[in-house]
Amino acid sequence: MSQKINQTLTIPDDLRGLRFDQALAKLLPDFSRTQIQSWIKNAEITSNQKPLKTRATVKGGEIISIQASVKEQPIFAAEAIALDIIYEDEVLLVINKPAGMVVHPAAGNYQHTLLNALIHHEPHLQTLPRAGIVHRLDKDTSGLLVVAKNALAVKSLTKQLKNHTMERIYQAIVLGVLISGGTIDEPIGRHPINRLRMAVTDNNSKPAITHYRVIERYRAYTRIKVQLETGRTHQIRVHMAHIHHTILGDQTYGRLQLPKGASAELIDMLRQFKRQALHATELSLIHPVTEQTITWHAPLPDDMKQLINVLQQDQQQKDKKKDFL
């Protein structure tokens, strides 16, 4: 099903010099520029009864006719699932997502998702694309995620993501003892063989940049702070695996490795930790209305705290043995 739009408008003189898609994005705030560009490409928008060219510039006074179709948003079930709400106002909602929760319904996970919980919490989100979810976290990644509550916020947050002005910082525990931090600038695309995985590849890939630095070192692992410059699917997991420092517990891109000499407690903990040790701990963005920068923090979840505690104790035992010798 789709919704029909039949609208005529005149472009004001103060938009003179802009490209048509830019001018129309200002005049049609409920629609993204990508949607508008698609309408132009499909000749669903005309200027003075002539097809538009996206890169043509506005002279002012053009009569624009829009005869387009918008796909109706799918109807999702509302579910009374508790949300850990860090912040909420009229346009934004910031959630601390637990590990194990799928963000958006998909094949095999049509229920019990964050989206279902959001629809129950705020029913009008049903009218927004993906219920206002503008970025995602993997099922087994915990931490901060922002949701837009109206079309203005969707547009603003999408633009911030595109322009890399939304700051997202994670903590992760990776295999191996890193000497220092660094930057990984490698393109990411769909794995050429296993379509459920992503990979560093030149085939149909997109630029991806990940910055990381060391927080704490253990016997055979390192806790790091990670900052995303881009937001590709599985980006941190793929990039760390690419440099042979897979995230602890990542069963898609890594495998369990038990450190030589590790304590029985650590070995038991490593065997029980069944999700990637990755948590979105900090989120910073420009508020769509106030235009002020706001930053939120989410403490590490209990499972990662327990894991870090055991890693620290194991490292202390190693240091004591070394000092004794």
Side-chain angles (χ1 to χ4, degrees):
M1 296 293 291
S2 61
Q3 174 188 356
K4 297 293 183 181
I5 297 176
N6 294 293
Q7 186 174 349
T8 300
L9 55 86
T10 301
I11 296 187
D13 291 339
D14 61 0
L15 296 182
R16 184 184 295 116
L18 293 179
R19 293 201 321 252
F20 271 101
D21 61 328
Q22 294 172 327
L24 290 170
K26 293 181 178 295
L27 297 174
L28 301 166
D30 289 341
F31 303 104
S32 68
R33 192 187 301 182
T34 300
Q35 175 68 85
I36 291 168
Q37 288 172 341
S38 175
W39 289 339
I40 293 173
K41 181 180 179 181
N42 296 329
E44 293 176 282
I45 298 180
T46 58
S47 172
N48 299 329
Q49 299 183 341
K50 294 181 180 179
L52 268 179
K53 292 183 179 180
T54 301
R55 295 189 177 277
T57 56
V58 169
K59 296 179 181 178
E62 292 93 340
I63 298 174
I64 301 298
S65 176
I66 306 170
Q67 294 184 329
S69 298
V70 179
K71 290 183 179 179
E72 292 184 0
Q73 298 299 320
I75 302 300
F76 296 104
E79 296 184 49
I81 300 170
L83 292 172
D84 184 3
I85 298 174
I86 302 297
Y87 174 87
E88 184 173 17
D89 62 20
E90 293 181 354
V91 298
L92 293 180
L93 181 62
V94 178
I95 303 294
N96 183 15
K97 187 188 84 68
M101 174 182 273
V102 174
V103 170
H104 191 280
N109 291 287
Y110 288 108
Q111 297 177 318
H112 315 311
T113 72
L114 175 62
L115 185 145
N116 298 116
L118 289 171
I119 296 297
H120 181 269
H121 175 75
E122 197 74 65
H124 86 270
L125 292 177
Q126 187 80 255
T127 64
L128 295 176
R130 296 174 297 280
I133 297 171
V134 295
H135 70 112
R136 302 185 188 186
L137 294 175
D138 296 336
K139 175 183 177 181
D140 288 327
T141 298
S142 56
L144 295 173
L145 182 145
V146 64
V147 177
K149 294 177 66 176
N150 61 24
L152 171 69
V154 169
K155 189 172 182 179
S156 172
L157 297 180
T158 301
K159 183 178 180 181
Q160 291 183 53
L161 285 165
K162 182 178 179 180
N163 294 338
H164 313 313
T165 56
M166 185 185 294
E167 188 173 86
R168 291 160 293 160
I169 295 176
Y170 297 70
Q171 280 198 36
I173 300 171
V174 299
L175 177 67
V177 181
L178 287 165
I179 297 174
S180 63
T183 295
I184 307 169
D185 185 353
E186 296 287 352
I188 291 177
R190 189 67 60 182
H191 193 284
I193 298 174
N194 186 341
R195 307 304 291 175
L196 297 178
R197 298 176 59 182
M198 307 301 288
V200 169
T201 174
D202 292 326
N203 296 324
N204 298 317
S205 61
K206 295 181 179 179
I209 301 174
T210 303
H211 307 283
Y212 65 94
R213 68 175 179 83
V214 173
I215 297 176
E216 190 173 37
R217 300 179 183 87
Y218 312 110
R219 181 189 296 268
Y221 291 93
T222 307
R223 179 155 60 110
I224 60 174
K225 175 181 178 179
V226 184
Q227 183 172 350
L228 290 179
E229 191 167 319
T230 54
R232 309 306 176 202
T233 301
H234 298 177
Q235 179 172 320
I236 297 174
R237 300 165 63 192
V238 171
H239 269 172
M240 296 315 298
H242 179 68
I243 64 170
H244 308 296
H245 290 286
T246 54
I247 295 178
L248 189 158
D250 193 334
Q251 300 183 57
T252 299
Y253 296 100
R255 59 185 179 86
L256 175 63
Q257 296 190 39
L258 301 177
K260 184 178 179 181
S263 65
E265 186 179 7
L266 175 57
I267 291 173
D268 186 55
M269 174 64 74
L270 294 175
R271 284 175 172 163
Q272 292 182 34
F273 205 90
K274 298 297 185 181
R275 64 107 167 178
Q276 61 263 12
L278 181 62
H279 177 71
T281 187
E282 184 175 325
L283 175 67
S284 182
L285 55 82
I286 300 169
H287 193 281
V289 176
T290 68
E291 298 186 348
Q292 298 296 310
T293 299
I294 308 179
T295 301
W296 298 275
H297 296 85
L300 291 172
D302 289 342
D303 63 344
M304 284 188 66
K305 287 180 181 178
Q306 292 169 6
L307 174 62
I308 290 168
N309 183 55
V310 174
L311 286 166
Q312 290 171 337
Q313 291 177 1
D314 179 75
Q315 181 63 36
Q316 289 169 5
Q317 290 181 17
K318 178 185 177 184
D319 292 341
K320 286 181 181 178
K321 185 176 181 180
K322 182 178 179 181
D323 291 341
F324 179 78
L325 295 174

